[in-house]
Amino acid sequence: MRNIRMVISYVGTTYHGFQTQPIGNTVQDVLTKAIYVLTGEKVHIIASGRTDAGVHARGQVINFQCASRIPIDRWALALNARLPDDIAVLKADEVPLDFHASYNARQKTYRYTIDTNKFADVFERNYRFHYPMPLRLPEMREALSALIGTHDFTSFASLRSTKVSHVRTISDAKLMDSEGKLELFITGDGFLYNMVRIIMGTLLWVGEGKLDASDFKRILEAKDRSLAGPTAMSHGLTLWEVVYDN
Amino acid sequence: MRNIRMVISYVGTTYHGFQTQPIGNTVQDVLTKAIYVLTGEKVHIIASGRTDAGVHARGQVINFQCASRIPIDRWALALNARLPDDIAVLKADEVPLDFHASYNARQKTYRYTIDTNKFADVFERNYRFHYPMPLRLPEMREALSALIGTHDFTSFASLRSTKVSHVRTISDAKLMDSEGKLELFITGDGFLYNMVRIIMGTLLWVGEGKLDASDFKRILEAKDRSLAGPTAMSHGLTLWEVVYDN
């Protein structure tokens, strides 16, 4: 057996998230089928993490074991020919048999994008949450600084989180602005269910003046989901990059 | 009567071009209907120029006469509420009754975008022509410089062009590159049918080494469509901006 790792990119708009589920039409289903068409093998795909319905990925990482002897430099092209236009394999390499795309992920970066202009950019409407409100960016940036470091992120986790520990370490969180288009990049060793979207929803309250940066910090410390803002729309979120030691 | 001018943006992917035609489903049809729903008037829309099926617009300009007394600053929001997500009104103003979006256009800029990376960026697949070939950018830029000035562009016009004169003045043509993503911006006082797409198709031949920059110049001077390259795919083209004197 071989263990194949791939970096993949997908537009989440039309899929029911990454992970296979009874309702069907997931990114995992489509990938599994394409690999089956290529190799005749029904492989089990492991991802760095699932993404929800509507969420996109620029650099999702997956791995799977298979017996196929197709040379590693042929995989990306061969699979792309068998995948729909909204899913693409960017890179493939062979990794040790014990490599696991989720357990071995050392760091992940997510991007959340917002369009604050009065009228949404039609070319980005599936990628950018349209939120046409004046936002206080300095206060939002001050609030974000509270996230840096190791904290219990219970306030920013879905109540449906099944993780035993809600402690995660955030190493970077920055908010960029270009003509009313905002990009939040947030990097950490791991993220809880809906964490980036709840952080964004709460940050928008700070931007609008419903909360101050000090309230944001207080909410984080309270470990209480009910104090935080809403879960921001899924289509503004992209799994940007996953980093491994090797 | 009033004469209303609007700047509109649309994703051309699902439309049969701008201009109304028997097959239906054009941008003009959708706009005309939205204006009818808003005002009860069947207006005649004039555009700065038609765009073909699949071609996009960032800043198309239209005008139409109507009797409606809706204040001018309400039009964009009111129409956007009645338009699909892939068409948006960015701006509306009132202009003299003799203003004509096509006759009065002084300058237009088109953008043609290409993705030369091995695997297409899934997020831009409807906007960027995927052409995964190494291209000679310096030669392409040299070829482009031949376009600047006033020339007869018959070589770069569709044989279906119905214009009496094929003489146009190009004031700027630049090709930018960012990590294998190319953007051609071309500005002129007017463009012939398929002109930017045929220029791009010929320029790709220069990029690949099938032609040299001097051949490109020779083709322009020959005034013979059969010497030029193919008409590049419509989805890479965007009507970027239209400039008026007022």
Side-chain angles (χ1 to χ4, degrees), chain B residues 36-58:
Chain B
Y36 177 72
V37 170
L38 178 65
T39 65
E41 290 179 74
K42 287 192 173 151
V43 304
H44 174 64
I45 295 176
I46 296 158
S48 72
R50 59 186 77 177
T51 53
D52 273 350
V55 174
H56 317 290
R58 169 183 173 267

Side-chain angles (χ1 to χ4, degrees), chain A residues 9-12 56-58 73 76-77 80 85-91 118-125 127 238, chain B residues 9-12 56-58 73 76-77 80 85-91 118-125 127 238:
Chain A
S9 188
Y10 49 85
V11 178
H56 317 289
R58 168 183 175 265
D73 57 346
L77 198 62
N80 284 332
D85 280 351
D86 51 8
I87 302 180
V89 178
L90 303 183
K91 217 157 72 174
K118 189 170 175 191
F119 303 119
D121 182 333
V122 293
F123 298 103
E124 300 187 314
R125 69 195 194 286
Y127 314 134
T238 301
Chain B
S9 188
Y10 49 85
V11 179
H56 317 290
R58 169 183 173 267
D73 57 345
L77 198 63
N80 284 331
D85 280 349
D86 50 9
I87 302 180
V89 177
L90 303 182
K91 218 158 70 175
K118 190 169 175 190
F119 304 119
D121 182 333
V122 293
F123 298 104
E124 300 186 313
R125 70 194 193 286
Y127 315 133
T238 301

Side-chain angles (χ1 to χ4, degrees), chain A residues 114 129 131 135 140 199-209 232:
Chain A
I114 291 182
F129 178 33
Y131 201 79
L135 296 175
M140 291 169 79
I199 286 172
M200 192 71 239
T202 312
L203 208 57
L204 285 172
W205 277 3
V206 175
E208 287 181 67

Side-chain angles (χ1 to χ4, degrees), chain A residues 10 26 31 36 43 62 88 98 109 113 154 182 225 235:
Chain A
Y10 49 85
T26 65
L31 282 167
Y36 177 73
V43 305
I62 62 168
D98 63 355
T109 298
T113 54
T154 298
L182 309 186
R225 169 68 185 94
H235 71 274

Side-chain angles (χ1 to χ4, degrees), chain A residues 178-233:
Chain A
S178 172
E179 298 181 343
K181 292 183 174 181
L182 309 186
E183 321 270 335
L184 169 67
F185 284 94
I186 183 162
T187 301
D189 64 350
F191 290 85
L192 303 168
Y193 189 41
N194 284 351
M195 183 166 146
V196 179
R197 292 167 58 189
I198 298 170
I199 286 172
M200 192 71 239
T202 312
L203 208 57
L204 285 172
W205 277 3
V206 175
E208 287 181 67
K210 292 180 185 171
L211 295 177
D212 283 326
S214 60
D215 299 316
F216 188 88
K217 188 166 193 288
R218 189 179 41 75
I219 290 168
L220 169 63
E221 288 164 357
K223 298 169 200 154
D224 180 353
R225 169 68 185 94
S226 71
L227 298 177
T231 306
M233 300 282 282

